[in-house]
């Protein structure tokens, strides 16, 4: 990274700070030496802070561009399968055919969870949210793979853990749903693809077969590809922060799942469908648009806006096309909820408030609609996001440990509490 200097003048003192420039994107001022000058930076929500350097994903929010290891998301979504992307994110290059065969074989071999894990599911209430179950069950995997099997400084162990996670998280996600329905667990099958396997574990039972539909499994594959990674979002930063202490990767990913669950992040697809259900009919759209613009009302139009994209979210463009393919295939064009979503999108995109603030539909606006069309229940939307994002989480966790300059994450604060005072005699 080329280094030129920035000058900070604070209380009459001049401090020179290096400028860090990545291979793409705008530069950053390296403030890491400021603590020795007893100065801190203040940046709630890290809007202006680059916490790390990373070579995995590049997002240009102004242009609406998303690249994984340099490859545009549009090309990846068209030409690749999800496991190609998972391999690319972790290893830096797309697999050749020999590498792909070996990788898929390894993922299939690891897709079966430890039998003891069944008992952990049974400790949950049947009505527990699948994300609550996933946080618990994925976290509990750290009790199965540790010590001799899991040394975070060993690259082979990290690779194995990453593959175990990518392989087992779909099974855990599908079982979280099966458990909530009181249905027996369906095991992964080697003859099915990654996406087909998940759909089969979700929808088949020991006595009924799930009929695979290529349009549906392709649409599901697209959802996974589009959600695989998105650089330093809240859940990925969480995984990196937890991992920075040397914690077990299954515990790190469980923390990522917890972070993703929130409605401002991965929960937005579920929240979008909930909102559409509340709006109910086209006549009420304007009332909700008005509420979204009202500063005294905490309501926001779910599935709209993004911290980084101030232009169209490229993932949303692909998801919208997939959405139309799925609706056509399933004959759902006239379904009231889908018609309502498309009308809401049109009205918001023409509204001055949304235009001025550059608030476009994000990927979760359409992914919720596609998942509903595929028959995936609302409560599973974020679980699907979590299974897709696992590829990104493990790639970032591995990259962080490989980087010899990585340190334990330890942000500072501006203290606003009481001044020092004595404890009274009680
Ligand atoms: N509806 C109404 N107003 C909005 C919305 C919205 N969905 N999103 C942002 N705004 C307004 C916001 O009130 C603010 O107005 P002002 O400047 O007058 O205070 C302005 O736009 C900028 O918003 P912000 O909250 O400062 O932006 P942010 O970067 O902190 O928030 C966001 C980004 C995604 C949390 C937010 O847009 C939001 O809450 N959207 C709805 C939830 C959602 O769809 N989340 C999924 C994000 S995409 C999936 C992912 O990558 O995780």
């Amino acid at each position: 990274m080329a280094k030129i200097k920035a000058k900070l003048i604070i209380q009459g003192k001049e401090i020179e700070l290096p400028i860090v420039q990545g291979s793409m994107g705008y530069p950053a001022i390296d403030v890491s030496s400021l603590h020795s000058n007893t100065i801190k930076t203040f940046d709630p929500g890290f809007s202006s802070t680059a916490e790390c350097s990373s070579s995995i994903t590049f997002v240009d929010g102004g242009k609406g561009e998303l690249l994984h290891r340099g490859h545009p998301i549009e090309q990846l979504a068209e030409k690749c399968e999800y496991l190609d992307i998972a391999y690319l994110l972790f290893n830096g290059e797309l697999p050749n055919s020999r590498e792909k065969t070996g990788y898929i074989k390894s993922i299939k071999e690891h897709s079966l969870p430890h039998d003891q894990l069944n008992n952990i599911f049974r400790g949950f209430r049947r009505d527990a949210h699948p994300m609550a179950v996933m946080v618990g069950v994925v976290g509990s995997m750290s009790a199965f793979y540790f010590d001799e099997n899991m040394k975070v400084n060993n690259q082979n162990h990290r690779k194995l853990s990453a593959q175990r996670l990518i392989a087992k998280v779909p099974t855990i996600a599908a079982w979280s749903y099966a458990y909530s329905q009181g249905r027996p667990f369906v095991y992964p099958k080697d003859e099915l693809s990654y996406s087909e396997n998940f759909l089969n574990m979700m929808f088949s039972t020991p006595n009924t077969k799930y009929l695979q539909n290529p349009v549906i499994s392709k649409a599901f594959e697209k959802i996974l590809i589009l959600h695989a990674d998105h650089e330093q979002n809240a859940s990925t930063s969480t995984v990196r922060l937890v991992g920075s202490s040397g914690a077990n990767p299954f515990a790190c990913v469980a923390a990522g799942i917890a972070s993703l669950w929130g409605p401002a992040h991965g929960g937005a697809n579920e929240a979008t469908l909930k909102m559409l259900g509340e709006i109910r009919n086209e006549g009420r759209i304007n009332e909700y648009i008005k509420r979204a613009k009202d500063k005294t009302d905490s309501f926001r139009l779910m599935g709209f806006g993004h911290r980084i994209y101030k232009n169209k979210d490229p993932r949303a463009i692909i998801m919208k096309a997939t959405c139309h393919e799925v609706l056509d295939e399933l004959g759902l064009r006239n379904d009231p909820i889908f018609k309502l979503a498309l009308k809401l999108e049109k009205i918001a995109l023409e509204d001055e408030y949304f235009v001025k603030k550059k608030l476009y539909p994000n990927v979760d606006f359409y992914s919720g609609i596609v998942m509903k069309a595929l028959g995936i229940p609302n409560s599973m939307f974020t679980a699907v996001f979590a299974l897709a994002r696992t590829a990104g989480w493990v790639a970032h966790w591995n990259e962080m440990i490989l980087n010899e300059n990585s340190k334990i994450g330890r942000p500072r604060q501006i203290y606003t509490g009481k001044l020092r005072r004595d404890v009274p005699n009680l």
Side-chain angles (χ1 to χ4, degrees), residues 165-181:
L165 275 154
I166 290 168
K168 293 181 205 301
V169 166
T171 314
I172 294 171
W175 286 10
S176 304
Y177 176 62
Y179 183 75
S180 74
Q181 300 298 297

Side-chain angles (χ1 to χ4, degrees), residues 50 72 74 121 218 235 237 239 277 294 302 307 347 365 376 394:
E74 294 80 2
F121 275 93
K218 199 174 140 222
S235 58
S237 304
V239 171
D294 181 355
M302 298 316 286
R307 169 64 62 83
I347 293 178
F365 185 76
I376 296 171
V394 293

Side-chain angles (χ1 to χ4, degrees), residues 129-141:
H129 193 286
M131 286 297 276
V133 178
M134 283 187 71
V135 171
V137 177
V138 172
S140 79
M141 283 168 72

Side-chain angles (χ1 to χ4, degrees), residues 230 233 263-266 268 292-293 295 299-308 310 313 315 353-354 357 359 362-364 385 389:
H230 210 232
N233 52 86
H265 190 5
K293 298 193 282 191
K295 286 277 153 245
F299 174 77
R300 280 185 168 198
L301 213 55
M302 298 316 286
F304 269 78
H306 199 275
R307 169 64 62 83
I308 307 288
K310 302 302 169 197
D313 176 344
R315 303 167 303 170
Y353 173 94
F354 288 87
K357 291 190 188 297
L359 300 169
N362 56 55
V363 66
D364 287 330
F385 192 160
R389 189 53 60 85

